[in-house]
Amino acid sequence: MASHRMKDKTIPNINGWRQTTPKHGTAYIVRHRVRRVVSMTLVGVLVTIGSAVGAGLAALAIAPRAITIIQQNGRHKKPEIIDPNAGKPIDLLVLGQDTRSGAGNSSLSGGEDNDDEHNADTAMVVQIAADRSYINIVSIPRDSLVDAPACHTSKGTVPARYNVMFNSIFASGYETGGDLASAAGCTVNAVNSLTGLDIQQFVIVDFEGLKNMIDDIGGVDLCIPVDTHDDYTWLDLHKGMQHLDGTQATKYARMRHGTGTDGTDIMRTTRQQYLIKQLMNKALSLNLLTDSSQLYRLSRSALNSLSISSGLADLSVLVGLAMSMKNLKVDHIYAQTISVVPAPDDPNRRVWTADADEIWAKLRENKPLSQAPESTPEDSNAQNQSKSNAQNGNDTAQNGNGTQNGNPTPEPQTPSVDPVTGLIKNHDGTLIDPNTGGYVDPENGSIRDPKTNEYIGIAYRYLNTTVCGVPAQK
C-alpha cells in the first residue's frame, strides 16, 4: 500500500482545504477495504427541542440581554420569530465530549470522576438545507485514522500529525490550549481539511448535558431490538419499545459493551443516529417547533447544558432556526456513518474508503444524502441486487439463445417497496435501504454498507414498526 504521509505538501490551517485533495491518513486510498460537550445533536432541529444527542441533539442558547417588547394599545401579540439564516444552508460540527469531570458525567460514563479526561466520544457533521426541507447527518468514527493539519489554540500551536485517531484531535487541542475553544477549533479545522467543507459552527454536549435535555422533554421512546444488559453502565433494558429517561437514553446511545452491541464504535453511531430521529419525532409530535413559549423555556434549560460557537449562541438565531423547520419530516433526516474499513495494520482501527468523498461531495454541493432524487427505488434495488449476486457468486453465464446454463432465462421479478417501512424488498427477501443502498438486518434494522459490510445506519421506520410493532404514523 502506498504511503499517504504527504510530507511534501502543505498542511492546511484554519479553513484550509485549499483545493487540495482530502487528507485521510493511510486510509483514504484503501478501496473496498466554550462549556460542556459531548454526544451529537441536531442543532437547529433539536435546538428547538432543547435536545442534543450524544446520539445527537439540538443546540440552544439565549442572548443574555434579550428584552421583550412591551405591547401597546391593548395588543397582546406574540413576538414575531425571525430566522436570520433563512435561505442559507447551515453546516456545523456536533461533538460529544467523553469527560468524567463531575459526579454526573462519571456516573453516566461508568467510570471514575476525572477532570483530566477530555476526549471526543462522538462527532457528527450536520447540514441543514437552505429551504429546511432536509437535514444531512454524517457520523465520523472516533477510531478512524486520519491526517490532522496544524491548528492554533489558546496557548500555542498543535503541529500537523499523520495517521492518528480522529478523536485524538480534540484531546490534543484541549491538552495544548486548556479549553473547549481550542479542542473544538482543532477538530473543526481537521474536518474542513478532510472533507472540503467550510464549517464555522459547532455544538458540544457532555453526558450530563444530554441527560438533562432529554429529561426536560419528558424522556424518549426507543425501540430496543434485543434484551440489553451492560455491566459497565448498569443498563438493563427489555426488548421492545421502551420509554427511557435521560440517564437510560444517554447510556444506551453510548454503550459499547454487553448484549445488543458488537463492541464497536461503528455500531454505536447507528444507535445515536436513531436517537436523534426519535427525539426529533417527539419534538414534532409535541409541536415544540411551533410553540414559541416552549422554545424559549427549552433554550434557557439548554443554556446550562451545552457549549456552542458564538455564531449560533443567540436566542433569536436558534429559535428562528427551530421554527423554520416546523414542516420538516423525520424521514428527511438522512443519517449515515462515513464509509470505512479496518485499517490494514490494525483491525481495531478504521480508515476511510475512496467512497467516503462521494458522501462529502454531496454536502459540499448542498445535496441530500438520499439516493432518491437521483434514481428510483427500482434502479437502486437493481444495482444493489447486481452487487449482491456478484458478491455471492450467483451470476450465471448466459448464452446467445436467452438461456442460462441451458435452461430458459427466468422472468425478472420487480422488487417491491414497502409502503410502511419505505424499504425495498428483493424477490429473495433481502431488504435494501433506498437512502444509502445498504442491506438491512431484519432482526434489528441495522444497515450495512454493501461493499464493506460495516454499519452505516439504522432503518428508522422498519425498526419501530416491524421490530417493535409500533403502528405506522399517518
Side-chain angles (χ1 to χ4, degrees):
M1 173 174 295
S3 173
H4 197 60
R5 305 289 186 189
M6 298 182 300
K7 292 183 178 179
D8 297 328
K9 296 186 179 181
T10 300
I11 300 295
N13 276 303
I14 300 303
N15 277 328
W17 204 48
R18 295 187 182 171
Q19 299 180 349
T20 60
T21 55
K23 298 164 179 58
H24 305 264
T26 57
Y28 191 78
I29 58 175
V30 177
R31 300 177 182 272
H32 305 98
R33 294 201 263 178
V34 71
R35 198 182 287 162
R36 307 186 191 200
V37 225
V38 166
S39 231
M40 337 106 8
T41 152
L42 270 196
V43 154
V45 168
L46 304 181
V47 104
T48 159
I49 126 185
S51 312
V53 191
L57 301 188
L60 296 178
I62 63 176
R65 298 193 178 187
I67 298 174
T68 301
I69 188 171
I70 299 174
Q71 299 296 332
Q72 307 296 321
N73 301 323
R75 298 168 61 189
H76 297 285
K77 296 176 64 177
K78 289 185 177 180
E80 181 182 6
I81 303 299
I82 299 174
D83 178 11
N85 291 300
K88 304 174 186 176
I90 299 176
D91 293 345
L92 61 139
L93 183 64
V94 178
L95 297 168
Q97 186 185 16
D98 184 359
T99 178
R100 269 67 171 174
S101 177
N105 283 314
S106 61
S107 64
L108 287 166
S109 68
E112 298 180 355
D113 192 341
N114 186 350
D115 289 333
D116 295 329
E117 289 279 356
H118 294 282
N119 299 314
D121 184 73
T122 297
M124 290 184 171
V125 174
V126 177
Q127 182 177 77
I128 304 172
D131 62 1
R132 309 300 187 248
S133 63
Y134 68 86
I135 294 176
N136 290 326
I137 301 175
V138 181
S139 298
I140 300 176
R142 67 174 188 171
D143 62 356
S144 54
L145 301 178
V146 298
D147 289 346
C151 63
H152 303 304
T153 74
S154 300
K155 297 179 181 178
T157 299
V158 178
R161 298 180 300 150
Y162 305 89
N163 208 37
V164 296
M165 281 180 56
F166 178 81
N167 71 338
S168 72
I169 300 171
F170 185 97
S172 61
Y174 196 100
E175 181 179 5
T176 300
D179 53 33
L180 290 180
S182 299
C186 286
T187 308
V188 169
N189 181 45
V191 171
N192 285 338
S193 173
L194 292 164
T195 66
L197 295 169
D198 185 21
I199 299 172
Q200 298 295 320
Q201 309 299 338
F202 63 83
V203 178
I204 305 174
V205 190
D206 63 13
F207 304 144
E208 189 173 12
L210 175 59
K211 172 236 178 226
N212 290 340
M213 286 188 294
I214 295 175
D215 283 338
D216 281 343
I217 63 169
V220 61
D221 293 331
L222 296 181
C223 175
I224 311 300
V226 298
D227 288 341
T228 300
H229 180 75
D230 177 18
D231 289 332
Y232 279 73
T233 59
W234 312 289
L235 187 66
D236 194 0
L237 301 172
H238 293 297
K239 178 181 179 179
M241 185 62 75
Q242 304 289 342
H243 183 77
L244 306 185
D245 61 22
T247 297
Q248 294 170 312
T250 299
K251 289 181 177 180
Y252 183 70
R254 65 173 313 275
M255 64 175 285
R256 288 193 298 125
H257 305 283
T259 57
T261 181
D262 64 356
T264 66
D265 177 59
I266 304 294
M267 186 177 188
R268 174 167 61 176
T269 63
T270 66
R271 289 197 305 277
Q272 296 170 348
Q273 294 163 9
Y274 171 61
L275 174 58
I276 289 179
K277 292 189 176 184
Q278 286 294 90
L279 286 167
M280 187 59 191
N281 185 55
K282 182 164 186 178
L284 293 170
S285 68
L286 295 178
N287 295 318
L288 294 184
L289 303 188
T290 60
D291 188 333
S292 60
S293 62
Q294 284 271 39
L295 289 179
Y296 281 97
R297 180 182 64 80
L298 288 172
S299 6
R300 288 179 173 81
S301 171
L303 181 64
N304 296 318
S305 304
L306 301 174
S307 297
I308 66 179
S309 52
S310 59
L312 289 173
D314 181 89
L315 179 62
S316 62
V317 171
L318 292 172
V319 175
L321 173 60
M323 292 198 110
S324 74
M325 293 187 288
K326 62 182 181 296
N327 295 320
L328 179 72
K329 296 181 180 179
V330 177
D331 285 345
H332 292 171
I333 298 177
Y334 304 115
Q336 69 181 94
T337 302
I338 201 68
S339 179
V340 296
V341 293
D345 300 325
D346 186 351
N348 294 318
R349 301 289 178 262
R350 299 291 188 274
V351 292
W352 298 7
T353 70
D355 291 337
D357 197 54
E358 294 181 12
I359 295 175
W360 299 126
K362 288 189 175 182
L363 270 63
R364 291 195 297 268
E365 297 167 7
N366 296 304
K367 294 181 178 179
L369 290 174
S370 170
Q371 296 182 352
E374 301 174 359
S375 61
T376 65
E378 289 76 10
D379 291 338
S380 176
N381 177 77
Q383 183 181 28
N384 281 283
Q385 185 61 47
S386 175
K387 293 176 183 177
S388 177
N389 289 339
Q391 291 170 352
N392 295 323
N394 292 330
D395 287 344
T396 310
Q398 181 173 339
N399 63 29
N401 298 322
T403 62
Q404 293 180 336
N405 295 334
N407 298 317
T409 302
E411 290 293 327
Q413 299 187 38
T414 303
S416 60
V417 178
D418 189 314
V420 175
T421 67
L423 298 183
I424 300 166
K425 186 175 183 178
N426 290 329
H427 65 274
D428 63 355
T430 304
L431 298 175
I432 303 296
D433 172 50
N435 291 330
T436 63
Y439 299 111
V440 178
D441 186 329
E443 298 298 321
N444 58 27
S446 61
I447 306 171
R448 289 180 180 266
D449 189 304
K451 292 182 179 179
T452 66
N453 202 40
E454 294 278 2
Y455 291 104
I456 55 175
I458 280 185
Y460 169 75
R461 282 195 285 165
Y462 177 87
L463 180 60
N464 286 350
T465 61
T466 304
V467 176
C468 280
V470 176
Q473 295 180 340
K474 296 182 180 180

